[in-house]
Amino acid sequence: MRHVIALDVGGTGMKAALIGAEGRLLHRARRATGRERGPDAVVEGILDFAADLRSHGIEQFGEPASAAGVAVPGIVDEERGVAAYSANLGWRDVPLRDLLAETLGAPVALGHDVRTGGLAEGRIGAGRGADRFLFVPLGTGIAGAIGIGGRVEAGAHGFAGEIGHIVVRPQGAACPCGQRGCLERYASAAAVSEAWAAASGTPGADAADCAKAVVSGDPNAVRIWQNAIDALADGLLTALTLLDPRTLIIGGGLAEAGETLFTPLRDAVRERVTFQKLPSVVPAALGDTAGCLGAGLLAWDLLDHTNRTEDSA
């Protein structure tokens, strides 16, 4: 049975799947990333995981995977197939595509984790049918995926969609990127967690706890939540002005709060638009499977491109 390997590498864990034609899920697996052992060990773990997935495909379906798609965090040079930098994983300039292709004996597509998740949300998730969409997951940080006609725009240097580093509060909180007042310092799940832990006096409190306190009417929680929504709406307004998406897909940890987030966020964005067209603001549909499903789409896209090239030769 023809199939591809899909691998989503995260800061702490890896999700993988074998995916057949038309998106049929044939096998799923998870492993720890092992970042505590250093970047070389992470790369070795990825290669070992991929090799085991290849072996499983041979055993179960009689043939190895035809291709693989891999999503990784940080700065990714998709054209060269290089994982250029990841603060969480500690690597720099890892030729991951070539290493995996050698391990698997098959072509490999390498993608940025958020853009890959956005590809899946746009094609088979919450953005299905939208010719223009913006996918914004609100997690430890904030990034974005710009969807145009069934593909996701990487930009000239691989930085397209970095909405988390739009400055929404000039001279505000310092950001690790070197700027001050970046969106992700105010509206990420990590930022809300930090603010609520301090306000509640509970070191282990997180954004989900803050959302629960908002529902119960805690004034400090309401203040923190509204500050995050205001900052997010300010950042999104800039993105809407530049990109004019038809659908705005919000995912990540904060989106799990449901209408506690979406009702006031839709109101805040609506209040800010003037000449801009208001997009549909919807929750992501695929959850933490988006990156893995998107990696599978990258692999099938790679095969389709290869087949078209061979047919035209």
PDB file of all heavy atoms in Angstrom, residues 80-113:
ATOM      1  N   ARG A  80      16.166  24.911   0.919  1.00  0.00           N
ATOM      2  CA  ARG A  80      17.410  24.148   1.051  1.00  0.00           C
ATOM      3  C   ARG A  80      17.246  22.909   1.928  1.00  0.00           C
ATOM      4  O   ARG A  80      18.136  22.061   1.994  1.00  0.00           O
ATOM      5  CB  ARG A  80      18.516  25.031   1.632  1.00  0.00           C
ATOM      6  CG  ARG A  80      18.953  26.157   0.700  1.00  0.00           C
ATOM      7  CD  ARG A  80      19.901  27.125   1.399  1.00  0.00           C
ATOM      8  NE  ARG A  80      21.037  26.431   2.008  1.00  0.00           N
ATOM      9  CZ  ARG A  80      21.428  26.595   3.272  1.00  0.00           C
ATOM     10  NH1 ARG A  80      20.766  27.412   4.080  1.00  0.00           N
ATOM     11  NH2 ARG A  80      22.474  25.949   3.739  1.00  0.00           N
ATOM     12  N   GLY A  81      16.115  22.817   2.619  1.00  0.00           N
ATOM     13  CA  GLY A  81      15.888  21.673   3.488  1.00  0.00           C
ATOM     14  C   GLY A  81      16.715  21.702   4.753  1.00  0.00           C
ATOM     15  O   GLY A  81      17.112  20.654   5.271  1.00  0.00           O
ATOM     16  N   VAL A  82      16.942  22.910   5.279  1.00  0.00           N
ATOM     17  CA  VAL A  82      17.814  23.084   6.443  1.00  0.00           C
ATOM     18  C   VAL A  82      17.023  23.609   7.635  1.00  0.00           C
ATOM     19  O   VAL A  82      16.275  24.590   7.506  1.00  0.00           O
ATOM     20  CB  VAL A  82      18.970  24.055   6.114  1.00  0.00           C
ATOM     21  CG1 VAL A  82      19.788  24.376   7.367  1.00  0.00           C
ATOM     22  CG2 VAL A  82      19.865  23.455   5.033  1.00  0.00           C
ATOM     23  N   ALA A  83      17.179  22.954   8.774  1.00  0.00           N
ATOM     24  CA  ALA A  83      16.649  23.472  10.034  1.00  0.00           C
ATOM     25  C   ALA A  83      17.675  24.474  10.555  1.00  0.00           C
ATOM     26  O   ALA A  83      18.694  24.093  11.136  1.00  0.00           O
ATOM     27  CB  ALA A  83      16.439  22.339  11.026  1.00  0.00           C
ATOM     28  N   ALA A  84      17.423  25.763  10.276  1.00  0.00           N
ATOM     29  CA  ALA A  84      18.455  26.777  10.477  1.00  0.00           C
ATOM     30  C   ALA A  84      18.717  27.099  11.938  1.00  0.00           C
ATOM     31  O   ALA A  84      19.870  27.278  12.357  1.00  0.00           O
ATOM     32  CB  ALA A  84      18.077  28.050   9.722  1.00  0.00           C
ATOM     33  N   TYR A  85      17.650  27.192  12.732  1.00  0.00           N
ATOM     34  CA  TYR A  85      17.840  27.540  14.141  1.00  0.00           C
ATOM     35  C   TYR A  85      16.588  27.216  14.940  1.00  0.00           C
ATOM     36  O   TYR A  85      15.469  27.444  14.481  1.00  0.00           O
ATOM     37  CB  TYR A  85      18.147  29.041  14.289  1.00  0.00           C
ATOM     38  CG  TYR A  85      18.210  29.508  15.726  1.00  0.00           C
ATOM     39  CD1 TYR A  85      19.267  29.133  16.545  1.00  0.00           C
ATOM     40  CD2 TYR A  85      17.190  30.284  16.268  1.00  0.00           C
ATOM     41  CE1 TYR A  85      19.326  29.542  17.870  1.00  0.00           C
ATOM     42  CE2 TYR A  85      17.241  30.698  17.599  1.00  0.00           C
ATOM     43  CZ  TYR A  85      18.307  30.323  18.396  1.00  0.00           C
ATOM     44  OH  TYR A  85      18.355  30.711  19.710  1.00  0.00           O
ATOM     45  N   SER A  86      16.774  26.687  16.126  1.00  0.00           N
ATOM     46  CA  SER A  86      15.674  26.510  17.072  1.00  0.00           C
ATOM     47  C   SER A  86      16.201  26.745  18.477  1.00  0.00           C
ATOM     48  O   SER A  86      17.108  26.032  18.927  1.00  0.00           O
ATOM     49  CB  SER A  86      15.071  25.109  16.981  1.00  0.00           C
ATOM     50  OG  SER A  86      14.160  24.906  18.045  1.00  0.00           O
ATOM     51  N   ALA A  87      15.642  27.748  19.148  1.00  0.00           N
ATOM     52  CA  ALA A  87      16.051  28.022  20.527  1.00  0.00           C
ATOM     53  C   ALA A  87      15.679  26.861  21.435  1.00  0.00           C
ATOM     54  O   ALA A  87      16.430  26.483  22.341  1.00  0.00           O
ATOM     55  CB  ALA A  87      15.388  29.314  21.014  1.00  0.00           C
ATOM     56  N   ASN A  88      14.499  26.262  21.200  1.00  0.00           N
ATOM     57  CA  ASN A  88      14.039  25.170  22.060  1.00  0.00           C
ATOM     58  C   ASN A  88      14.869  23.901  21.898  1.00  0.00           C
ATOM     59  O   ASN A  88      15.121  23.188  22.874  1.00  0.00           O
ATOM     60  CB  ASN A  88      12.572  24.848  21.768  1.00  0.00           C
ATOM     61  CG  ASN A  88      11.626  25.892  22.330  1.00  0.00           C
ATOM     62  OD1 ASN A  88      11.961  26.572  23.292  1.00  0.00           O
ATOM     63  ND2 ASN A  88      10.460  26.026  21.726  1.00  0.00           N
ATOM     64  N   LEU A  89      15.284  23.610  20.679  1.00  0.00           N
ATOM     65  CA  LEU A  89      16.020  22.368  20.426  1.00  0.00           C
ATOM     66  C   LEU A  89      17.527  22.571  20.383  1.00  0.00           C
ATOM     67  O   LEU A  89      18.279  21.593  20.425  1.00  0.00           O
ATOM     68  CB  LEU A  89      15.542  21.734  19.119  1.00  0.00           C
ATOM     69  CG  LEU A  89      14.055  21.347  19.104  1.00  0.00           C
ATOM     70  CD1 LEU A  89      13.680  20.752  17.762  1.00  0.00           C
ATOM     71  CD2 LEU A  89      13.738  20.377  20.223  1.00  0.00           C
ATOM     72  N   GLY A  90      17.959  23.807  20.282  1.00  0.00           N
ATOM     73  CA  GLY A  90      19.387  24.111  20.367  1.00  0.00           C
ATOM     74  C   GLY A  90      20.196  23.852  19.118  1.00  0.00           C
ATOM     75  O   GLY A  90      21.417  23.919  19.134  1.00  0.00           O
ATOM     76  N   TRP A  91      19.519  23.559  17.995  1.00  0.00           N
ATOM     77  CA  TRP A  91      20.303  23.258  16.808  1.00  0.00           C
ATOM     78  C   TRP A  91      20.488  24.471  15.909  1.00  0.00           C
ATOM     79  O   TRP A  91      19.750  25.445  15.981  1.00  0.00           O
ATOM     80  CB  TRP A  91      19.701  22.098  16.032  1.00  0.00           C
ATOM     81  CG  TRP A  91      18.308  22.269  15.479  1.00  0.00           C
ATOM     82  CD1 TRP A  91      17.703  23.428  15.081  1.00  0.00           C
ATOM     83  CD2 TRP A  91      17.353  21.229  15.263  1.00  0.00           C
ATOM     84  NE1 TRP A  91      16.434  23.173  14.611  1.00  0.00           N
ATOM     85  CE2 TRP A  91      16.190  21.836  14.719  1.00  0.00           C
ATOM     86  CE3 TRP A  91      17.362  19.851  15.459  1.00  0.00           C
ATOM     87  CZ2 TRP A  91      15.048  21.104  14.370  1.00  0.00           C
ATOM     88  CZ3 TRP A  91      16.238  19.126  15.112  1.00  0.00           C
ATOM     89  CH2 TRP A  91      15.100  19.750  14.586  1.00  0.00           C
ATOM     90  N   ARG A  92      21.501  24.382  15.056  1.00  0.00           N
ATOM     91  CA  ARG A  92      21.776  25.404  14.045  1.00  0.00           C
ATOM     92  C   ARG A  92      22.202  24.711  12.751  1.00  0.00           C
ATOM     93  O   ARG A  92      23.041  23.807  12.774  1.00  0.00           O
ATOM     94  CB  ARG A  92      22.902  26.350  14.482  1.00  0.00           C
ATOM     95  CG  ARG A  92      22.501  27.354  15.543  1.00  0.00           C
ATOM     96  CD  ARG A  92      23.654  28.290  15.869  1.00  0.00           C
ATOM     97  NE  ARG A  92      23.304  29.260  16.892  1.00  0.00           N
ATOM     98  CZ  ARG A  92      22.730  30.429  16.670  1.00  0.00           C
ATOM     99  NH1 ARG A  92      22.435  30.776  15.430  1.00  0.00           N
ATOM    100  NH2 ARG A  92      22.465  31.252  17.668  1.00  0.00           N
ATOM    101  N   ASP A  93      21.610  25.148  11.650  1.00  0.00           N
ATOM    102  CA  ASP A  93      22.021  24.727  10.304  1.00  0.00           C
ATOM    103  C   ASP A  93      22.135  23.203  10.158  1.00  0.00           C
ATOM    104  O   ASP A  93      23.148  22.680   9.693  1.00  0.00           O
ATOM    105  CB  ASP A  93      23.346  25.395   9.935  1.00  0.00           C
ATOM    106  CG  ASP A  93      23.218  26.904   9.881  1.00  0.00           C
ATOM    107  OD1 ASP A  93      22.164  27.394   9.434  1.00  0.00           O
ATOM    108  OD2 ASP A  93      24.158  27.606  10.309  1.00  0.00           O
ATOM    109  N   VAL A  94      21.074  22.513  10.534  1.00  0.00           N
ATOM    110  CA  VAL A  94      21.036  21.059  10.398  1.00  0.00           C
ATOM    111  C   VAL A  94      20.429  20.705   9.029  1.00  0.00           C
ATOM    112  O   VAL A  94      19.287  21.061   8.746  1.00  0.00           O
ATOM    113  CB  VAL A  94      20.189  20.412  11.509  1.00  0.00           C
ATOM    114  CG1 VAL A  94      20.127  18.894  11.316  1.00  0.00           C
ATOM    115  CG2 VAL A  94      20.755  20.757  12.880  1.00  0.00           C
ATOM    116  N   PRO A  95      21.182  20.005   8.164  1.00  0.00           N
ATOM    117  CA  PRO A  95      20.645  19.624   6.838  1.00  0.00           C
ATOM    118  C   PRO A  95      19.678  18.448   6.966  1.00  0.00           C
ATOM    119  O   PRO A  95      19.918  17.359   6.440  1.00  0.00           O
ATOM    120  CB  PRO A  95      21.903  19.266   6.052  1.00  0.00           C
ATOM    121  CG  PRO A  95      22.842  18.745   7.101  1.00  0.00           C
ATOM    122  CD  PRO A  95      22.567  19.545   8.354  1.00  0.00           C
ATOM    123  N   LEU A  96      18.578  18.694   7.640  1.00  0.00           N
ATOM    124  CA  LEU A  96      17.694  17.613   8.063  1.00  0.00           C
ATOM    125  C   LEU A  96      17.064  16.889   6.876  1.00  0.00           C
ATOM    126  O   LEU A  96      16.879  15.660   6.909  1.00  0.00           O
ATOM    127  CB  LEU A  96      16.618  18.169   8.996  1.00  0.00           C
ATOM    128  CG  LEU A  96      15.855  17.169   9.862  1.00  0.00           C
ATOM    129  CD1 LEU A  96      16.809  16.308  10.673  1.00  0.00           C
ATOM    130  CD2 LEU A  96      14.887  17.905  10.767  1.00  0.00           C
ATOM    131  N   ARG A  97      16.715  17.625   5.834  1.00  0.00           N
ATOM    132  CA  ARG A  97      16.097  16.971   4.672  1.00  0.00           C
ATOM    133  C   ARG A  97      17.033  15.928   4.074  1.00  0.00           C
ATOM    134  O   ARG A  97      16.620  14.790   3.801  1.00  0.00           O
ATOM    135  CB  ARG A  97      15.729  18.006   3.619  1.00  0.00           C
ATOM    136  CG  ARG A  97      15.028  17.406   2.400  1.00  0.00           C
ATOM    137  CD  ARG A  97      14.687  18.470   1.385  1.00  0.00           C
ATOM    138  NE  ARG A  97      15.896  19.072   0.805  1.00  0.00           N
ATOM    139  CZ  ARG A  97      15.909  20.194   0.082  1.00  0.00           C
ATOM    140  NH1 ARG A  97      14.780  20.843  -0.149  1.00  0.00           N
ATOM    141  NH2 ARG A  97      17.033  20.668  -0.407  1.00  0.00           N
ATOM    142  N   ASP A  98      18.289  16.285   3.881  1.00  0.00           N
ATOM    143  CA  ASP A  98      19.237  15.350   3.270  1.00  0.00           C
ATOM    144  C   ASP A  98      19.528  14.171   4.195  1.00  0.00           C
ATOM    145  O   ASP A  98      19.657  13.028   3.731  1.00  0.00           O
ATOM    146  CB  ASP A  98      20.539  16.076   2.922  1.00  0.00           C
ATOM    147  CG  ASP A  98      20.375  17.044   1.758  1.00  0.00           C
ATOM    148  OD1 ASP A  98      19.329  16.986   1.079  1.00  0.00           O
ATOM    149  OD2 ASP A  98      21.278  17.863   1.546  1.00  0.00           O
ATOM    150  N   LEU A  99      19.628  14.444   5.498  1.00  0.00           N
ATOM    151  CA  LEU A  99      19.886  13.363   6.451  1.00  0.00           C
ATOM    152  C   LEU A  99      18.741  12.358   6.454  1.00  0.00           C
ATOM    153  O   LEU A  99      18.959  11.143   6.471  1.00  0.00           O
ATOM    154  CB  LEU A  99      20.076  13.950   7.855  1.00  0.00           C
ATOM    155  CG  LEU A  99      21.343  14.770   8.095  1.00  0.00           C
ATOM    156  CD1 LEU A  99      21.291  15.427   9.467  1.00  0.00           C
ATOM    157  CD2 LEU A  99      22.584  13.894   7.969  1.00  0.00           C
ATOM    158  N   LEU A 100      17.520  12.861   6.426  1.00  0.00           N
ATOM    159  CA  LEU A 100      16.356  11.975   6.422  1.00  0.00           C
ATOM    160  C   LEU A 100      16.223  11.237   5.087  1.00  0.00           C
ATOM    161  O   LEU A 100      15.871  10.055   5.058  1.00  0.00           O
ATOM    162  CB  LEU A 100      15.089  12.780   6.712  1.00  0.00           C
ATOM    163  CG  LEU A 100      14.854  13.109   8.182  1.00  0.00           C
ATOM    164  CD1 LEU A 100      13.839  14.236   8.334  1.00  0.00           C
ATOM    165  CD2 LEU A 100      14.396  11.867   8.941  1.00  0.00           C
ATOM    166  N   ALA A 101      16.501  11.924   3.989  1.00  0.00           N
ATOM    167  CA  ALA A 101      16.414  11.278   2.674  1.00  0.00           C
ATOM    168  C   ALA A 101      17.402  10.126   2.583  1.00  0.00           C
ATOM    169  O   ALA A 101      17.085   9.060   2.021  1.00  0.00           O
ATOM    170  CB  ALA A 101      16.673  12.306   1.580  1.00  0.00           C
ATOM    171  N   GLU A 102      18.584  10.310   3.157  1.00  0.00           N
ATOM    172  CA  GLU A 102      19.586   9.239   3.155  1.00  0.00           C
ATOM    173  C   GLU A 102      19.121   8.072   4.026  1.00  0.00           C
ATOM    174  O   GLU A 102      19.284   6.904   3.659  1.00  0.00           O
ATOM    175  CB  GLU A 102      20.920   9.784   3.672  1.00  0.00           C
ATOM    176  CG  GLU A 102      22.051   8.769   3.652  1.00  0.00           C
ATOM    177  CD  GLU A 102      23.365   9.355   4.117  1.00  0.00           C
ATOM    178  OE1 GLU A 102      23.454  10.585   4.284  1.00  0.00           O
ATOM    179  OE2 GLU A 102      24.308   8.568   4.313  1.00  0.00           O
ATOM    180  N   THR A 103      18.508   8.396   5.170  1.00  0.00           N
ATOM    181  CA  THR A 103      18.031   7.354   6.078  1.00  0.00           C
ATOM    182  C   THR A 103      16.877   6.561   5.470  1.00  0.00           C
ATOM    183  O   THR A 103      16.816   5.333   5.602  1.00  0.00           O
ATOM    184  CB  THR A 103      17.565   7.981   7.413  1.00  0.00           C
ATOM    185  OG1 THR A 103      18.685   8.606   8.047  1.00  0.00           O
ATOM    186  CG2 THR A 103      16.956   6.947   8.339  1.00  0.00           C
ATOM    187  N   LEU A 104      15.989   7.251   4.788  1.00  0.00           N
ATOM    188  CA  LEU A 104      14.759   6.627   4.293  1.00  0.00           C
ATOM    189  C   LEU A 104      14.863   6.108   2.864  1.00  0.00           C
ATOM    190  O   LEU A 104      14.038   5.291   2.445  1.00  0.00           O
ATOM    191  CB  LEU A 104      13.606   7.639   4.374  1.00  0.00           C
ATOM    192  CG  LEU A 104      13.231   8.123   5.770  1.00  0.00           C
ATOM    193  CD1 LEU A 104      12.212   9.253   5.688  1.00  0.00           C
ATOM    194  CD2 LEU A 104      12.696   6.967   6.606  1.00  0.00           C
ATOM    195  N   GLY A 105      15.835   6.615   2.116  1.00  0.00           N
ATOM    196  CA  GLY A 105      15.909   6.239   0.707  1.00  0.00           C
ATOM    197  C   GLY A 105      14.723   6.738  -0.074  1.00  0.00           C
ATOM    198  O   GLY A 105      14.243   6.083  -1.010  1.00  0.00           O
ATOM    199  N   ALA A 106      14.196   7.904   0.321  1.00  0.00           N
ATOM    200  CA  ALA A 106      12.998   8.480  -0.303  1.00  0.00           C
ATOM    201  C   ALA A 106      13.081   9.999  -0.222  1.00  0.00           C
ATOM    202  O   ALA A 106      13.798  10.545   0.620  1.00  0.00           O
ATOM    203  CB  ALA A 106      11.742   7.985   0.417  1.00  0.00           C
ATOM    204  N   PRO A 107      12.359  10.696  -1.097  1.00  0.00           N
ATOM    205  CA  PRO A 107      12.375  12.161  -1.041  1.00  0.00           C
ATOM    206  C   PRO A 107      11.702  12.677   0.233  1.00  0.00           C
ATOM    207  O   PRO A 107      10.768  12.060   0.756  1.00  0.00           O
ATOM    208  CB  PRO A 107      11.593  12.577  -2.286  1.00  0.00           C
ATOM    209  CG  PRO A 107      10.738  11.398  -2.607  1.00  0.00           C
ATOM    210  CD  PRO A 107      11.513  10.187  -2.192  1.00  0.00           C
ATOM    211  N   VAL A 108      12.186  13.814   0.710  1.00  0.00           N
ATOM    212  CA  VAL A 108      11.702  14.389   1.968  1.00  0.00           C
ATOM    213  C   VAL A 108      11.410  15.869   1.778  1.00  0.00           C
ATOM    214  O   VAL A 108      12.178  16.596   1.130  1.00  0.00           O
ATOM    215  CB  VAL A 108      12.755  14.220   3.093  1.00  0.00           C
ATOM    216  CG1 VAL A 108      12.306  14.918   4.381  1.00  0.00           C
ATOM    217  CG2 VAL A 108      13.019  12.744   3.356  1.00  0.00           C
ATOM    218  N   ALA A 109      10.291  16.321   2.333  1.00  0.00           N
ATOM    219  CA  ALA A 109       9.947  17.742   2.368  1.00  0.00           C
ATOM    220  C   ALA A 109      10.067  18.216   3.809  1.00  0.00           C
ATOM    221  O   ALA A 109       9.555  17.575   4.726  1.00  0.00           O
ATOM    222  CB  ALA A 109       8.526  17.960   1.859  1.00  0.00           C
ATOM    223  N   LEU A 110      10.747  19.337   4.006  1.00  0.00           N
ATOM    224  CA  LEU A 110      10.934  19.907   5.339  1.00  0.00           C
ATOM    225  C   LEU A 110      10.138  21.196   5.436  1.00  0.00           C
ATOM    226  O   LEU A 110      10.203  22.047   4.542  1.00  0.00           O
ATOM    227  CB  LEU A 110      12.415  20.194   5.592  1.00  0.00           C
ATOM    228  CG  LEU A 110      12.781  20.723   6.979  1.00  0.00           C
ATOM    229  CD1 LEU A 110      12.573  19.648   8.038  1.00  0.00           C
ATOM    230  CD2 LEU A 110      14.234  21.211   7.001  1.00  0.00           C
ATOM    231  N   GLY A 111       9.377  21.348   6.526  1.00  0.00           N
ATOM    232  CA  GLY A 111       8.555  22.542   6.687  1.00  0.00           C
ATOM    233  C   GLY A 111       8.617  23.112   8.093  1.00  0.00           C
ATOM    234  O   GLY A 111       9.008  22.432   9.046  1.00  0.00           O
ATOM    235  N   HIS A 112       8.222  24.369   8.212  1.00  0.00           N
ATOM    236  CA  HIS A 112       8.099  25.058   9.499  1.00  0.00           C
ATOM    237  C   HIS A 112       6.844  24.561  10.196  1.00  0.00           C
ATOM    238  O   HIS A 112       5.791  24.383   9.562  1.00  0.00           O
ATOM    239  CB  HIS A 112       8.020  26.561   9.232  1.00  0.00           C
ATOM    240  CG  HIS A 112       7.895  27.407  10.445  1.00  0.00           C
ATOM    241  ND1 HIS A 112       6.682  27.714  11.017  1.00  0.00           N
ATOM    242  CD2 HIS A 112       8.826  28.018  11.199  1.00  0.00           C
ATOM    243  CE1 HIS A 112       6.876  28.500  12.056  1.00  0.00           C
ATOM    244  NE2 HIS A 112       8.175  28.687  12.194  1.00  0.00           N
ATOM    245  N   ASP A 113       6.921  24.329  11.505  1.00  0.00           N
ATOM    246  CA  ASP A 113       5.805  23.673  12.194  1.00  0.00           C
ATOM    247  C   ASP A 113       4.493  24.449  12.086  1.00  0.00           C
ATOM    248  O   ASP A 113       3.439  23.864  11.815  1.00  0.00           O
ATOM    249  CB  ASP A 113       6.155  23.383  13.660  1.00  0.00           C
ATOM    250  CG  ASP A 113       6.580  24.606  14.466  1.00  0.00           C
ATOM    251  OD1 ASP A 113       6.749  25.702  13.880  1.00  0.00           O
ATOM    252  OD2 ASP A 113       6.753  24.462  15.695  1.00  0.00           O
TER     253      ASP A 113
END
